[in-house]
Amino acid sequence: MAIKKEIDQSVIDGFKATLRGDLLTPGDPGYDDSRTIWNAMIDRKPALIARCLGVADVVACVNFARDNELLLSIKGGGHNISGLAVCDDGLMIDMSLMRGVWVDHKTNTVHAQAGCLLGDVDRETQLYGKAAVLGFVSNTGIAGLTLGGGFGYLTRRFGWTTDNLVSIEMITADGHIVQASEKENPDLFWGLRGGGGNFGVVTKFEYKLHPVGPEIVGGVIAWKGEDAADVLELYRTLSEQAPPELTCVVLLRPAPPAPWLPKEIHGKPIAALLVCYSGTIEEGEKLVAPIKAFGSPVGDIIQRRPYIALQNLLDGTQPKGRRYYWKSEYFSGHDPLMLKKFEEHGSYIKSPHSAIILFQLDGALNKIPDDHSPVGNRNTKTVLNITASWESPEDDQENIEWARSAWQDMRQFSTGGTYLNFLTEEEVGNRLQDAWGKNYDRLVEIKTKWDPENFFRMNKNIPPR
Ligand SMILES: Cc1cc2nc3c(=O)[nH]c(=O)nc-3n(C[C@H](O)[C@H](O)[C@H](O)COP(=O)(O)OP(=O)(O)OC[C@H]3O[C@@H](n4cnc5c(N)ncnc54)[C@H](O)[C@@H]3O)c2cc1C
């Protein structure tokens, strides 16, 4: 493919020679693997892909793209539904080879390069019986998750992922390395805690660690779809009464062909609870006992297990290369009518891979002021995620329509806020203010200071003033 703005081949060769990592062009081995992401609905073709091996490579990429007026995109774990990690015709920085992780025992923090997946960080921190606040699927990238907010099983105790961020290393539009923390460049640090990839290329994150694991009590339990109303009531009660160490996620979907579910259930509707108790094993076993004894489950693998095993549990349900379309809203509670609608739309699911999910979030994040960082939304108790997932382009319309109509019906219960990291491409233009709320204006100030030319624009973009 020709680069839109013609760049002399000798200039490209010169750039290639400055990199430690590979520079790929269409047709090169690895090019298609690098440009394809989790969501197969996204099919963009960068003119150049730089597989960076270090900070110097990232600096060289930023300088090259800027000097040659190329659109730049940044790929972390490639898990974002909107697919903005990949650009057409420009330069894509592929961070996936920068996956170093260093635990600092003395400061109780972990430093992780920005190409890490969540599992990379958990694996190293669990050696010390510690964990950072990360998400539910181990092959999600830390970069996109952190820059957009981030939540997981530890959020009820410790807040958004960004509430647990200690420092960041970033490359600016003019190719400089900067550090950001509460003490150094605090305005930039504020913006990076939820403002997305708007300000530069992050090369390293430092997170606070918490004592978790190496074993916890957790797993998944499922009942027949016909029991959904009772399971939702159980989820509502647990959400109101459970201590912050216990996090529950409820979902309705067709049963996957998982070995822990009987064959005759596969493909039939189920209501399931994902559970994690991150405190002591004894207390966890006591608290999950009534869940395990509830009704007549068709499968139950809630048990004492390594925290890492729980973090990997959902990976197989979210493979790279399927077609995905999501809708999401924050809710401030569990209105009985909302739960009724949730059940109703769960029963209309069109694909064996789709699900409708409520993630419990209430706790630590509600105790912090809304303007602490751009991720905001401190009034949220739970997040709705309508996840349509299917194989073939012919089924696009049917599955997208299911997700859209469920969302249209359920958004009446929304706080008005939505999770930046769950926005689809079509929402990027019109829902950013919902995601950031009153913090948006301050983000514009920071963008104007750090990237006045909007060089970093292939993202959930905040135009500078
Ligand atoms: C299966 C699945 C499970 C998920 N589970 C959770 C969950 O439990 N909790 C949660 O909070 N979210 C979850 N998410 C949402 C997830 O947080 C976002 O999709 C996030 O953007 C993924 O990050 P990534 O690095 O993998 O994505 P990418 O698509 O690689 O990147 C997303 C965007 O982040 C920016 N970016 C990436 N790297 C950099 C960098 N180094 N510097 C600057 N900007 C950068 C770019 O703008 C890029 O377009 C999940 C998503 C999926 C697909």
Side-chain angles (χ1 to χ4, degrees), residues 38 74-80 84-85 114 135-137 140-141 143-145 147 150-151 197 200-202 318 326 419 421-422 459:
W38 167 78
I74 312 156
K75 181 181 151 190
H79 251 204
N80 198 272
L84 294 167
F136 293 86
V137 173
T140 303
L145 179 133
L147 294 170
F151 66 88
V201 187
V202 174
Q318 301 292 325
W326 286 6
Y419 184 33
N421 272 339
F422 287 173
N459 46 38

PDB file of all heavy atoms in Angstrom, residues 38 74-80 84-85 114 135-137 140-141 143-145 147 150-151 197 200-202 318 326 419 421-422 459, ligand 1:
ATOM      1  N   TRP A  38      -8.480  -7.824  18.536  1.00  0.00           N
ATOM      2  CA  TRP A  38      -9.518  -8.671  19.141  1.00  0.00           C
ATOM      3  C   TRP A  38     -10.831  -8.583  18.357  1.00  0.00           C
ATOM      4  O   TRP A  38     -11.457  -9.590  18.058  1.00  0.00           O
ATOM      5  CB  TRP A  38      -9.673  -8.212  20.597  1.00  0.00           C
ATOM      6  CG  TRP A  38     -10.862  -8.718  21.313  1.00  0.00           C
ATOM      7  CD1 TRP A  38     -10.996  -9.969  21.849  1.00  0.00           C
ATOM      8  CD2 TRP A  38     -12.065  -8.000  21.599  1.00  0.00           C
ATOM      9  NE1 TRP A  38     -12.232 -10.067  22.452  1.00  0.00           N
ATOM     10  CE2 TRP A  38     -12.898  -8.881  22.321  1.00  0.00           C
ATOM     11  CE3 TRP A  38     -12.518  -6.719  21.329  1.00  0.00           C
ATOM     12  CZ2 TRP A  38     -14.164  -8.496  22.760  1.00  0.00           C
ATOM     13  CZ3 TRP A  38     -13.765  -6.339  21.771  1.00  0.00           C
ATOM     14  CH2 TRP A  38     -14.569  -7.228  22.470  1.00  0.00           C
ATOM     15  N   ILE A  74      -1.678   3.912  18.317  1.00  0.00           N
ATOM     16  CA  ILE A  74      -0.900   3.167  19.320  1.00  0.00           C
ATOM     17  C   ILE A  74      -1.687   1.936  19.729  1.00  0.00           C
ATOM     18  O   ILE A  74      -2.833   2.044  20.176  1.00  0.00           O
ATOM     19  CB  ILE A  74      -0.649   4.034  20.585  1.00  0.00           C
ATOM     20  CG1 ILE A  74      -0.147   5.420  20.201  1.00  0.00           C
ATOM     21  CG2 ILE A  74       0.326   3.329  21.523  1.00  0.00           C
ATOM     22  CD1 ILE A  74      -0.416   6.483  21.249  1.00  0.00           C
ATOM     23  N   LYS A  75      -1.036   0.772  19.585  1.00  0.00           N
ATOM     24  CA  LYS A  75      -1.696  -0.471  19.976  1.00  0.00           C
ATOM     25  C   LYS A  75      -1.040  -1.029  21.236  1.00  0.00           C
ATOM     26  O   LYS A  75       0.173  -1.228  21.272  1.00  0.00           O
ATOM     27  CB  LYS A  75      -1.596  -1.488  18.834  1.00  0.00           C
ATOM     28  CG  LYS A  75      -2.278  -2.797  19.150  1.00  0.00           C
ATOM     29  CD  LYS A  75      -2.118  -3.781  17.990  1.00  0.00           C
ATOM     30  CE  LYS A  75      -2.129  -5.199  18.492  1.00  0.00           C
ATOM     31  NZ  LYS A  75      -1.748  -6.176  17.495  1.00  0.00           N
ATOM     32  N   GLY A  76      -1.874  -1.228  22.259  1.00  0.00           N
ATOM     33  CA  GLY A  76      -1.389  -1.873  23.487  1.00  0.00           C
ATOM     34  C   GLY A  76      -1.717  -3.355  23.388  1.00  0.00           C
ATOM     35  O   GLY A  76      -1.062  -4.127  22.687  1.00  0.00           O
ATOM     36  N   GLY A  77      -2.811  -3.765  24.059  1.00  0.00           N
ATOM     37  CA  GLY A  77      -3.235  -5.163  23.989  1.00  0.00           C
ATOM     38  C   GLY A  77      -4.184  -5.422  22.830  1.00  0.00           C
ATOM     39  O   GLY A  77      -4.582  -6.561  22.591  1.00  0.00           O
ATOM     40  N   GLY A  78      -4.600  -4.369  22.123  1.00  0.00           N
ATOM     41  CA  GLY A  78      -5.502  -4.523  20.978  1.00  0.00           C
ATOM     42  C   GLY A  78      -6.908  -4.963  21.365  1.00  0.00           C
ATOM     43  O   GLY A  78      -7.642  -5.503  20.552  1.00  0.00           O
ATOM     44  N   HIS A  79      -7.298  -4.684  22.608  1.00  0.00           N
ATOM     45  CA  HIS A  79      -8.587  -5.177  23.089  1.00  0.00           C
ATOM     46  C   HIS A  79      -9.691  -4.127  23.047  1.00  0.00           C
ATOM     47  O   HIS A  79     -10.788  -4.391  23.535  1.00  0.00           O
ATOM     48  CB  HIS A  79      -8.427  -5.676  24.540  1.00  0.00           C
ATOM     49  CG  HIS A  79      -8.504  -7.159  24.647  1.00  0.00           C
ATOM     50  ND1 HIS A  79      -8.860  -7.809  25.792  1.00  0.00           N
ATOM     51  CD2 HIS A  79      -8.276  -8.126  23.739  1.00  0.00           C
ATOM     52  CE1 HIS A  79      -8.852  -9.108  25.584  1.00  0.00           C
ATOM     53  NE2 HIS A  79      -8.486  -9.326  24.356  1.00  0.00           N
ATOM     54  N   ASN A  80      -9.396  -2.937  22.524  1.00  0.00           N
ATOM     55  CA  ASN A  80     -10.467  -1.939  22.576  1.00  0.00           C
ATOM     56  C   ASN A  80     -11.500  -2.186  21.495  1.00  0.00           C
ATOM     57  O   ASN A  80     -11.158  -2.392  20.328  1.00  0.00           O
ATOM     58  CB  ASN A  80      -9.909  -0.518  22.472  1.00  0.00           C
ATOM     59  CG  ASN A  80     -10.942   0.469  22.959  1.00  0.00           C
ATOM     60  OD1 ASN A  80     -11.773   0.929  22.187  1.00  0.00           O
ATOM     61  ND2 ASN A  80     -10.933   0.742  24.242  1.00  0.00           N
ATOM     62  N   LEU A  84      -9.465   1.821  17.751  1.00  0.00           N
ATOM     63  CA  LEU A  84      -8.683   3.015  17.391  1.00  0.00           C
ATOM     64  C   LEU A  84      -7.176   2.809  17.525  1.00  0.00           C
ATOM     65  O   LEU A  84      -6.399   3.698  17.204  1.00  0.00           O
ATOM     66  CB  LEU A  84      -9.139   4.204  18.246  1.00  0.00           C
ATOM     67  CG  LEU A  84     -10.576   4.656  17.962  1.00  0.00           C
ATOM     68  CD1 LEU A  84     -11.075   5.612  19.035  1.00  0.00           C
ATOM     69  CD2 LEU A  84     -10.677   5.295  16.589  1.00  0.00           C
ATOM     70  N   ALA A  85      -6.797   1.630  17.977  1.00  0.00           N
ATOM     71  CA  ALA A  85      -5.369   1.305  18.055  1.00  0.00           C
ATOM     72  C   ALA A  85      -4.755   1.185  16.658  1.00  0.00           C
ATOM     73  O   ALA A  85      -3.539   1.301  16.491  1.00  0.00           O
ATOM     74  CB  ALA A  85      -5.182  -0.014  18.809  1.00  0.00           C
ATOM     75  N   ALA A 114       4.374  -0.573  28.833  1.00  0.00           N
ATOM     76  CA  ALA A 114       3.005  -0.319  28.370  1.00  0.00           C
ATOM     77  C   ALA A 114       2.456  -1.368  27.408  1.00  0.00           C
ATOM     78  O   ALA A 114       1.272  -1.356  27.097  1.00  0.00           O
ATOM     79  CB  ALA A 114       2.936   1.064  27.734  1.00  0.00           C
ATOM     80  N   GLY A 135      -8.240  -5.754  35.349  1.00  0.00           N
ATOM     81  CA  GLY A 135      -9.561  -6.221  34.908  1.00  0.00           C
ATOM     82  C   GLY A 135      -9.759  -7.721  34.981  1.00  0.00           C
ATOM     83  O   GLY A 135      -8.971  -8.438  35.611  1.00  0.00           O
ATOM     84  N   PHE A 136     -10.808  -8.201  34.310  1.00  0.00           N
ATOM     85  CA  PHE A 136     -11.283  -9.577  34.451  1.00  0.00           C
ATOM     86  C   PHE A 136     -10.726 -10.565  33.423  1.00  0.00           C
ATOM     87  O   PHE A 136     -10.964 -11.751  33.541  1.00  0.00           O
ATOM     88  CB  PHE A 136     -12.818  -9.606  34.294  1.00  0.00           C
ATOM     89  CG  PHE A 136     -13.558  -8.920  35.408  1.00  0.00           C
ATOM     90  CD1 PHE A 136     -13.794  -7.555  35.375  1.00  0.00           C
ATOM     91  CD2 PHE A 136     -14.025  -9.650  36.489  1.00  0.00           C
ATOM     92  CE1 PHE A 136     -14.491  -6.925  36.400  1.00  0.00           C
ATOM     93  CE2 PHE A 136     -14.728  -9.025  37.518  1.00  0.00           C
ATOM     94  CZ  PHE A 136     -14.942  -7.665  37.477  1.00  0.00           C
ATOM     95  N   VAL A 137     -10.084 -10.059  32.366  1.00  0.00           N
ATOM     96  CA  VAL A 137      -9.624 -10.963  31.301  1.00  0.00           C
ATOM     97  C   VAL A 137      -8.117 -10.755  31.118  1.00  0.00           C
ATOM     98  O   VAL A 137      -7.667  -9.642  30.834  1.00  0.00           O
ATOM     99  CB  VAL A 137     -10.389 -10.685  29.979  1.00  0.00           C
ATOM    100  CG1 VAL A 137      -9.809 -11.476  28.822  1.00  0.00           C
ATOM    101  CG2 VAL A 137     -11.867 -11.019  30.154  1.00  0.00           C
ATOM    102  N   THR A 140      -6.201  -8.737  28.174  1.00  0.00           N
ATOM    103  CA  THR A 140      -6.459  -7.310  27.908  1.00  0.00           C
ATOM    104  C   THR A 140      -5.160  -6.531  28.155  1.00  0.00           C
ATOM    105  O   THR A 140      -4.380  -6.898  29.029  1.00  0.00           O
ATOM    106  CB  THR A 140      -7.561  -6.793  28.860  1.00  0.00           C
ATOM    107  OG1 THR A 140      -8.719  -7.589  28.688  1.00  0.00           O
ATOM    108  CG2 THR A 140      -7.901  -5.337  28.622  1.00  0.00           C
ATOM    109  N   GLY A 141      -4.961  -5.450  27.411  1.00  0.00           N
ATOM    110  CA  GLY A 141      -3.756  -4.634  27.606  1.00  0.00           C
ATOM    111  C   GLY A 141      -3.897  -3.702  28.802  1.00  0.00           C
ATOM    112  O   GLY A 141      -4.957  -3.118  29.028  1.00  0.00           O
ATOM    113  N   ALA A 143      -2.437  -0.865  29.049  1.00  0.00           N
ATOM    114  CA  ALA A 143      -2.371   0.551  28.648  1.00  0.00           C
ATOM    115  C   ALA A 143      -3.762   1.126  28.418  1.00  0.00           C
ATOM    116  O   ALA A 143      -4.153   2.107  29.059  1.00  0.00           O
ATOM    117  CB  ALA A 143      -1.513   0.702  27.401  1.00  0.00           C
ATOM    118  N   GLY A 144      -4.519   0.503  27.508  1.00  0.00           N
ATOM    119  CA  GLY A 144      -5.851   1.021  27.233  1.00  0.00           C
ATOM    120  C   GLY A 144      -6.722   0.969  28.473  1.00  0.00           C
ATOM    121  O   GLY A 144      -7.439   1.922  28.792  1.00  0.00           O
ATOM    122  N   LEU A 145      -6.640  -0.136  29.202  1.00  0.00           N
ATOM    123  CA  LEU A 145      -7.482  -0.282  30.402  1.00  0.00           C
ATOM    124  C   LEU A 145      -7.184   0.827  31.408  1.00  0.00           C
ATOM    125  O   LEU A 145      -8.099   1.489  31.907  1.00  0.00           O
ATOM    126  CB  LEU A 145      -7.252  -1.668  31.033  1.00  0.00           C
ATOM    127  CG  LEU A 145      -8.056  -1.947  32.309  1.00  0.00           C
ATOM    128  CD1 LEU A 145      -8.731  -3.323  32.259  1.00  0.00           C
ATOM    129  CD2 LEU A 145      -7.181  -1.883  33.552  1.00  0.00           C
ATOM    130  N   LEU A 147      -5.557   3.787  30.985  1.00  0.00           N
ATOM    131  CA  LEU A 147      -5.768   5.169  30.525  1.00  0.00           C
ATOM    132  C   LEU A 147      -7.253   5.518  30.446  1.00  0.00           C
ATOM    133  O   LEU A 147      -7.618   6.691  30.464  1.00  0.00           O
ATOM    134  CB  LEU A 147      -5.083   5.370  29.164  1.00  0.00           C
ATOM    135  CG  LEU A 147      -3.546   5.280  29.208  1.00  0.00           C
ATOM    136  CD1 LEU A 147      -2.961   5.237  27.806  1.00  0.00           C
ATOM    137  CD2 LEU A 147      -2.959   6.448  30.000  1.00  0.00           C
ATOM    138  N   GLY A 150     -10.400   1.656  34.222  1.00  0.00           N
ATOM    139  CA  GLY A 150     -10.035   0.324  34.694  1.00  0.00           C
ATOM    140  C   GLY A 150     -10.779  -0.142  35.928  1.00  0.00           C
ATOM    141  O   GLY A 150     -10.815   0.539  36.939  1.00  0.00           O
ATOM    142  N   PHE A 151     -11.388  -1.326  35.822  1.00  0.00           N
ATOM    143  CA  PHE A 151     -12.010  -1.941  37.001  1.00  0.00           C
ATOM    144  C   PHE A 151     -11.900  -3.454  36.913  1.00  0.00           C
ATOM    145  O   PHE A 151     -11.744  -4.017  35.828  1.00  0.00           O
ATOM    146  CB  PHE A 151     -13.488  -1.528  37.151  1.00  0.00           C
ATOM    147  CG  PHE A 151     -14.376  -2.029  36.044  1.00  0.00           C
ATOM    148  CD1 PHE A 151     -14.973  -3.287  36.126  1.00  0.00           C
ATOM    149  CD2 PHE A 151     -14.610  -1.262  34.914  1.00  0.00           C
ATOM    150  CE1 PHE A 151     -15.785  -3.770  35.093  1.00  0.00           C
ATOM    151  CE2 PHE A 151     -15.410  -1.744  33.881  1.00  0.00           C
ATOM    152  CZ  PHE A 151     -15.999  -2.994  33.973  1.00  0.00           C
ATOM    153  N   GLY A 197      -5.682   7.949  25.493  1.00  0.00           N
ATOM    154  CA  GLY A 197      -4.357   8.113  24.878  1.00  0.00           C
ATOM    155  C   GLY A 197      -4.161   9.477  24.242  1.00  0.00           C
ATOM    156  O   GLY A 197      -3.479   9.588  23.216  1.00  0.00           O
ATOM    157  N   GLY A 200       0.029  11.537  24.785  1.00  0.00           N
ATOM    158  CA  GLY A 200       1.331  11.054  24.349  1.00  0.00           C
ATOM    159  C   GLY A 200       1.344   9.533  24.335  1.00  0.00           C
ATOM    160  O   GLY A 200       0.315   8.895  24.571  1.00  0.00           O
ATOM    161  N   VAL A 201       2.516   8.961  24.058  1.00  0.00           N
ATOM    162  CA  VAL A 201       2.646   7.495  24.093  1.00  0.00           C
ATOM    163  C   VAL A 201       3.194   7.111  25.462  1.00  0.00           C
ATOM    164  O   VAL A 201       4.327   7.476  25.808  1.00  0.00           O
ATOM    165  CB  VAL A 201       3.614   6.968  23.012  1.00  0.00           C
ATOM    166  CG1 VAL A 201       3.566   5.444  22.975  1.00  0.00           C
ATOM    167  CG2 VAL A 201       3.290   7.550  21.652  1.00  0.00           C
ATOM    168  N   VAL A 202       2.411   6.406  26.222  1.00  0.00           N
ATOM    169  CA  VAL A 202       2.870   5.961  27.536  1.00  0.00           C
ATOM    170  C   VAL A 202       3.797   4.766  27.324  1.00  0.00           C
ATOM    171  O   VAL A 202       3.491   3.849  26.552  1.00  0.00           O
ATOM    172  CB  VAL A 202       1.681   5.575  28.442  1.00  0.00           C
ATOM    173  CG1 VAL A 202       2.179   4.981  29.753  1.00  0.00           C
ATOM    174  CG2 VAL A 202       0.811   6.794  28.706  1.00  0.00           C
ATOM    175  N   GLN A 318     -13.431 -15.023  25.133  1.00  0.00           N
ATOM    176  CA  GLN A 318     -13.229 -13.738  24.426  1.00  0.00           C
ATOM    177  C   GLN A 318     -12.085 -13.839  23.421  1.00  0.00           C
ATOM    178  O   GLN A 318     -11.100 -13.105  23.520  1.00  0.00           O
ATOM    179  CB  GLN A 318     -12.903 -12.634  25.447  1.00  0.00           C
ATOM    180  CG  GLN A 318     -13.940 -12.406  26.505  1.00  0.00           C
ATOM    181  CD  GLN A 318     -15.219 -11.828  25.930  1.00  0.00           C
ATOM    182  OE1 GLN A 318     -15.187 -11.031  24.996  1.00  0.00           O
ATOM    183  NE2 GLN A 318     -16.345 -12.243  26.472  1.00  0.00           N
ATOM    184  N   TRP A 326     -20.483  -3.678  21.390  1.00  0.00           N
ATOM    185  CA  TRP A 326     -20.856  -3.519  22.803  1.00  0.00           C
ATOM    186  C   TRP A 326     -21.692  -2.263  23.016  1.00  0.00           C
ATOM    187  O   TRP A 326     -21.556  -1.287  22.268  1.00  0.00           O
ATOM    188  CB  TRP A 326     -19.610  -3.376  23.675  1.00  0.00           C
ATOM    189  CG  TRP A 326     -18.824  -4.626  23.898  1.00  0.00           C
ATOM    190  CD1 TRP A 326     -19.014  -5.849  23.333  1.00  0.00           C
ATOM    191  CD2 TRP A 326     -17.671  -4.759  24.760  1.00  0.00           C
ATOM    192  NE1 TRP A 326     -18.061  -6.733  23.798  1.00  0.00           N
ATOM    193  CE2 TRP A 326     -17.235  -6.090  24.668  1.00  0.00           C
ATOM    194  CE3 TRP A 326     -16.986  -3.885  25.595  1.00  0.00           C
ATOM    195  CZ2 TRP A 326     -16.130  -6.565  25.390  1.00  0.00           C
ATOM    196  CZ3 TRP A 326     -15.893  -4.356  26.307  1.00  0.00           C
ATOM    197  CH2 TRP A 326     -15.474  -5.685  26.199  1.00  0.00           C
ATOM    198  N   TYR A 419     -18.875   4.152  30.344  1.00  0.00           N
ATOM    199  CA  TYR A 419     -17.466   3.811  30.521  1.00  0.00           C
ATOM    200  C   TYR A 419     -16.697   4.055  29.223  1.00  0.00           C
ATOM    201  O   TYR A 419     -16.989   3.443  28.196  1.00  0.00           O
ATOM    202  CB  TYR A 419     -17.362   2.342  30.960  1.00  0.00           C
ATOM    203  CG  TYR A 419     -15.950   1.876  31.266  1.00  0.00           C
ATOM    204  CD1 TYR A 419     -15.004   2.743  31.812  1.00  0.00           C
ATOM    205  CD2 TYR A 419     -15.558   0.561  31.024  1.00  0.00           C
ATOM    206  CE1 TYR A 419     -13.720   2.324  32.094  1.00  0.00           C
ATOM    207  CE2 TYR A 419     -14.273   0.119  31.312  1.00  0.00           C
ATOM    208  CZ  TYR A 419     -13.359   1.016  31.840  1.00  0.00           C
ATOM    209  OH  TYR A 419     -12.081   0.600  32.112  1.00  0.00           O
ATOM    210  N   ASN A 421     -13.954   3.093  28.118  1.00  0.00           N
ATOM    211  CA  ASN A 421     -13.316   1.925  27.505  1.00  0.00           C
ATOM    212  C   ASN A 421     -14.294   0.975  26.826  1.00  0.00           C
ATOM    213  O   ASN A 421     -13.864   0.050  26.143  1.00  0.00           O
ATOM    214  CB  ASN A 421     -12.533   1.146  28.570  1.00  0.00           C
ATOM    215  CG  ASN A 421     -11.127   1.666  28.723  1.00  0.00           C
ATOM    216  OD1 ASN A 421     -10.600   2.306  27.827  1.00  0.00           O
ATOM    217  ND2 ASN A 421     -10.524   1.403  29.862  1.00  0.00           N
ATOM    218  N   PHE A 422     -15.596   1.164  27.034  1.00  0.00           N
ATOM    219  CA  PHE A 422     -16.573   0.284  26.383  1.00  0.00           C
ATOM    220  C   PHE A 422     -17.268   0.971  25.198  1.00  0.00           C
ATOM    221  O   PHE A 422     -18.185   0.399  24.609  1.00  0.00           O
ATOM    222  CB  PHE A 422     -17.643  -0.175  27.390  1.00  0.00           C
ATOM    223  CG  PHE A 422     -17.173  -1.205  28.408  1.00  0.00           C
ATOM    224  CD1 PHE A 422     -18.007  -1.589  29.450  1.00  0.00           C
ATOM    225  CD2 PHE A 422     -15.930  -1.799  28.323  1.00  0.00           C
ATOM    226  CE1 PHE A 422     -17.610  -2.547  30.386  1.00  0.00           C
ATOM    227  CE2 PHE A 422     -15.511  -2.753  29.257  1.00  0.00           C
ATOM    228  CZ  PHE A 422     -16.361  -3.127  30.295  1.00  0.00           C
ATOM    229  N   ASN A 459      -7.739   8.349  18.713  1.00  0.00           N
ATOM    230  CA  ASN A 459      -8.101   7.900  20.061  1.00  0.00           C
ATOM    231  C   ASN A 459      -9.476   8.476  20.387  1.00  0.00           C
ATOM    232  O   ASN A 459     -10.115   9.078  19.512  1.00  0.00           O
ATOM    233  CB  ASN A 459      -7.050   8.393  21.077  1.00  0.00           C
ATOM    234  CG  ASN A 459      -6.698   9.852  20.890  1.00  0.00           C
ATOM    235  OD1 ASN A 459      -7.579  10.664  20.586  1.00  0.00           O
ATOM    236  ND2 ASN A 459      -5.442  10.218  21.052  1.00  0.00           N
TER     237      ASN A 459
HETATM  238  C1  LIG B   1     -12.406  -9.209  26.471  1.00  0.00           C
HETATM  239  C2  LIG B   1     -12.313  -7.875  27.135  1.00  0.00           C
HETATM  240  C3  LIG B   1     -12.397  -7.790  28.503  1.00  0.00           C
HETATM  241  C4  LIG B   1     -12.328  -6.554  29.128  1.00  0.00           C
HETATM  242  N1  LIG B   1     -12.413  -6.488  30.493  1.00  0.00           N
HETATM  243  C5  LIG B   1     -12.282  -5.304  31.111  1.00  0.00           C
HETATM  244  C6  LIG B   1     -12.276  -5.227  32.526  1.00  0.00           C
HETATM  245  O1  LIG B   1     -12.402  -6.222  33.209  1.00  0.00           O
HETATM  246  N2  LIG B   1     -12.136  -4.015  33.094  1.00  0.00           N
HETATM  247  C7  LIG B   1     -11.981  -2.886  32.366  1.00  0.00           C
HETATM  248  O2  LIG B   1     -11.853  -1.822  32.941  1.00  0.00           O
HETATM  249  N3  LIG B   1     -12.002  -2.924  31.014  1.00  0.00           N
HETATM  250  C8  LIG B   1     -12.134  -4.108  30.385  1.00  0.00           C
HETATM  251  N4  LIG B   1     -12.141  -4.156  29.025  1.00  0.00           N
HETATM  252  C9  LIG B   1     -12.056  -2.915  28.267  1.00  0.00           C
HETATM  253  C10 LIG B   1     -10.593  -2.530  28.123  1.00  0.00           C
HETATM  254  O3  LIG B   1     -10.195  -1.829  29.274  1.00  0.00           O
HETATM  255  C11 LIG B   1     -10.405  -1.613  26.908  1.00  0.00           C
HETATM  256  O4  LIG B   1     -10.829  -2.286  25.769  1.00  0.00           O
HETATM  257  C12 LIG B   1      -8.957  -1.160  26.770  1.00  0.00           C
HETATM  258  O5  LIG B   1      -8.896  -0.097  25.876  1.00  0.00           O
HETATM  259  C13 LIG B   1      -8.060  -2.274  26.307  1.00  0.00           C
HETATM  260  O6  LIG B   1      -6.744  -1.860  26.313  1.00  0.00           O
HETATM  261  P1  LIG B   1      -5.738  -2.428  25.216  1.00  0.00           P
HETATM  262  O7  LIG B   1      -4.409  -1.839  25.488  1.00  0.00           O
HETATM  263  O8  LIG B   1      -5.863  -3.907  25.169  1.00  0.00           O
HETATM  264  O9  LIG B   1      -6.405  -1.831  23.921  1.00  0.00           O
HETATM  265  P2  LIG B   1      -5.846  -1.169  22.587  1.00  0.00           P
HETATM  266  O10 LIG B   1      -6.959  -1.343  21.622  1.00  0.00           O
HETATM  267  O11 LIG B   1      -4.514  -1.659  22.216  1.00  0.00           O
HETATM  268  O12 LIG B   1      -5.723   0.344  22.984  1.00  0.00           O
HETATM  269  C14 LIG B   1      -6.842   1.141  23.220  1.00  0.00           C
HETATM  270  C15 LIG B   1      -6.467   2.595  23.087  1.00  0.00           C
HETATM  271  O13 LIG B   1      -5.636   2.949  24.180  1.00  0.00           O
HETATM  272  C16 LIG B   1      -4.672   3.894  23.763  1.00  0.00           C
HETATM  273  N5  LIG B   1      -3.343   3.343  24.027  1.00  0.00           N
HETATM  274  C17 LIG B   1      -2.960   2.054  24.020  1.00  0.00           C
HETATM  275  N6  LIG B   1      -1.686   1.958  24.364  1.00  0.00           N
HETATM  276  C18 LIG B   1      -1.245   3.208  24.592  1.00  0.00           C
HETATM  277  C19 LIG B   1      -0.009   3.762  25.009  1.00  0.00           C
HETATM  278  N7  LIG B   1       1.057   3.004  25.247  1.00  0.00           N
HETATM  279  N8  LIG B   1       0.076   5.100  25.148  1.00  0.00           N
HETATM  280  C20 LIG B   1      -0.989   5.900  24.907  1.00  0.00           C
HETATM  281  N9  LIG B   1      -2.174   5.424  24.521  1.00  0.00           N
HETATM  282  C21 LIG B   1      -2.305   4.093  24.374  1.00  0.00           C
HETATM  283  C22 LIG B   1      -4.907   4.158  22.296  1.00  0.00           C
HETATM  284  O14 LIG B   1      -5.699   5.320  22.149  1.00  0.00           O
HETATM  285  C23 LIG B   1      -5.671   2.944  21.850  1.00  0.00           C
HETATM  286  O15 LIG B   1      -6.533   3.218  20.775  1.00  0.00           O
HETATM  287  C24 LIG B   1     -12.183  -5.378  28.371  1.00  0.00           C
HETATM  288  C25 LIG B   1     -12.098  -5.470  26.981  1.00  0.00           C
HETATM  289  C26 LIG B   1     -12.159  -6.709  26.377  1.00  0.00           C
HETATM  290  C27 LIG B   1     -12.098  -6.804  24.892  1.00  0.00           C
END
